[in-house]
Amino acid sequence: MVQLHVKHEHESQFLFNTTVDVSIETLVQQVTQVYNGRLKVDRICSEIPELADHGITLPPNMQGLTDDQIKDLKIRDEWEVTCVPSGGAEFRKDEIGRRNGHAPNEKMKNVLKKTMEEAKALISNKQVQANVCVTMDMVNEALDQLRGAVMIVYPMGLPPHDPIRMELENQEDLAGTQASLQVIPEKNAQLWWAGKELHWDKKLQDYIGKNEKTKIIVKIQKKSQRAPAREPLMSEDQQKEMMLCSYRRQEELKKLEEADDDSYLQSEWSDQQALKRQFQGLANIKWGPR
């Protein structure tokens, strides 16, 4: 299997296994699915702590309003009675007014947060260091874990406007958000290797040959972007190691220079002619007026 180290810009993303005879079009689609799937897991995981601490999301027309404003406008959250966490709720006010404050109890809160950590670890970029390839099955497993935890804590489900439910049902609306800039649509994705764009109408072997044990670094980005920067000749760790070796070498040279210091030759005790001048009575002769 060919192993791809997928990066976005300079950031390491995940490892992906494929074959040399795969078409670039298929490869781009597969890599993009995993890339976007990991982003979806991250977005859900970013919402889980808020759900655990402050309960479900308020309807859009109530978000950001104060209690007095809600009372004056006579607005009511119809989902507050339906979407009650298992074991009862504990009130923890959301200061930014985005969630209703009826949070799960400590036990259910731990279920959500523990599952979130497990899901994040499954698709983490730390899997690169562990030499573990991420697959779409692993992404779906992480999503299923999160879905299961939410169902345990909220057996009646989340309101349709809650971002976690919208993500799990693929109904999320990312328009106008920073997250939308990170997502790469499959039809607008491209892969680059060694400064070359991998064209959809070719196969991977047209670029790297037929060796199935090849390991390469590829970069994923949108077609509208310019060619990505080439990989540095040395990694950051290698650069640090090189600088450390250079510093040690300089210190060693300093010590050698100190050991080779010949300034002592100018000292009186090192003068080889001093004894001769002493016998000749020329030792303390000084020129000039006294």
Side-chain angles (χ1 to χ4, degrees):
M1 299 291 286
V2 177
Q3 187 177 90
L4 307 182
H5 183 178
V6 181
K7 291 187 175 185
H8 179 57
E9 296 178 349
H10 294 296
E11 293 185 10
S12 180
Q13 299 294 319
F14 56 93
L15 298 179
F16 185 83
N17 276 340
T18 187
T19 59
V20 293
D21 61 349
V22 67
S23 69
I24 298 300
E25 181 178 2
T26 300
L27 179 61
V28 170
Q29 292 173 349
Q30 292 173 341
V31 171
T32 306
Q33 287 174 2
V34 175
Y35 174 81
N36 288 333
R38 292 175 68 252
L39 291 177
K40 177 184 283 288
V41 173
D42 284 338
R43 290 195 300 270
I44 296 174
C45 288
S46 69
E47 290 286 348
I48 289 292
E50 295 298 316
L51 177 65
D53 291 337
H54 303 295
I56 62 174
T57 305
L58 290 168
N61 63 336
M62 294 180 65
Q63 293 183 22
L65 299 180
T66 64
D67 294 339
D68 291 338
Q69 289 173 326
I70 292 174
K71 184 177 180 180
D72 292 341
L73 294 171
K74 297 180 181 180
I75 306 174
R76 180 173 174 271
D77 180 10
E78 60 183 21
W79 299 97
E80 181 178 329
V81 178
T82 305
C83 304
V84 178
S86 297
E90 298 177 359
F91 188 75
R92 300 189 189 94
K93 183 175 178 61
D94 183 6
E95 297 299 332
I96 63 175
R98 185 165 176 258
R99 295 180 176 271
N100 69 1
H102 298 287
N105 60 34
E106 197 65 25
K107 182 179 179 181
M108 293 295 102
K109 179 178 177 179
N110 289 336
V111 169
L112 288 172
K113 292 194 172 183
K114 182 179 179 181
T115 305
M116 175 196 70
E117 294 298 333
E118 292 175 351
K120 288 174 65 176
L122 194 60
I123 52 90
S124 170
N125 56 10
K126 292 181 180 179
Q127 296 282 44
V128 173
Q129 301 173 2
N131 200 35
V132 175
C133 292
V134 177
T135 65
M136 199 60 206
D137 287 341
M138 293 171 67
V139 173
N140 289 330
E141 182 181 349
L143 292 172
D144 288 341
Q145 289 178 352
L146 294 170
R147 184 181 291 105
V150 171
M151 290 180 65
I152 290 173
V153 180
Y154 287 90
M156 299 302 292
L158 298 175
H161 55 268
D162 194 283
I164 295 177
R165 174 173 172 176
M166 294 175 71
E167 288 281 3
L168 292 173
E169 295 180 353
N170 296 320
Q171 299 296 322
E172 68 274 15
D173 182 12
L174 303 179
T177 66
Q178 184 66 28
S180 66
L181 302 178
Q182 297 175 318
V183 174
I184 301 178
E186 290 183 24
K187 294 183 179 179
N188 193 30
Q190 64 180 179
L191 293 177
W192 289 74
W193 170 70
K196 302 175 183 177
E197 179 186 354
L198 306 186
H199 296 282
W200 282 36
D201 58 346
K202 294 187 177 182
K203 292 187 176 182
L204 186 58
Q205 64 185 10
D206 295 331
Y207 295 94
I208 67 170
K210 297 184 179 181
N211 185 0
E212 288 284 1
K213 295 183 179 180
T214 305
K215 295 182 179 180
I216 61 173
I217 295 176
V218 298
K219 292 190 175 183
I220 184 172
Q221 64 177 34
K222 297 177 181 178
K223 291 181 179 179
S224 57
Q225 295 177 303
R226 67 175 66 180
R230 284 179 173 270
E231 284 293 298
L233 296 177
M234 292 185 293
S235 66
E236 185 177 350
D237 291 338
Q238 290 173 328
Q239 291 177 350
K240 290 180 180 178
E241 183 66 25
M242 185 175 177
M243 293 175 64
L244 180 60
C245 289
S246 177
Y247 173 77
R248 289 173 177 170
R249 178 60 177 165
Q250 290 177 357
E251 291 299 310
E252 291 175 357
L253 291 174
K254 286 181 182 179
K255 292 180 180 179
L256 290 174
E257 288 177 0
E258 293 173 358
D260 291 340
D261 187 6
D262 58 359
S263 61
Y264 68 89
L265 296 176
Q266 306 300 322
S267 302
E268 184 178 348
W269 58 266
S270 66
D271 187 357
Q272 297 179 357
Q273 303 298 322
L275 183 60
K276 180 180 179 181
R277 288 197 297 269
Q278 185 73 29
F279 282 118
Q280 294 176 346
L282 302 174
N284 295 318
I285 296 177
K286 296 183 179 179
W287 301 97
R290 293 186 178 180

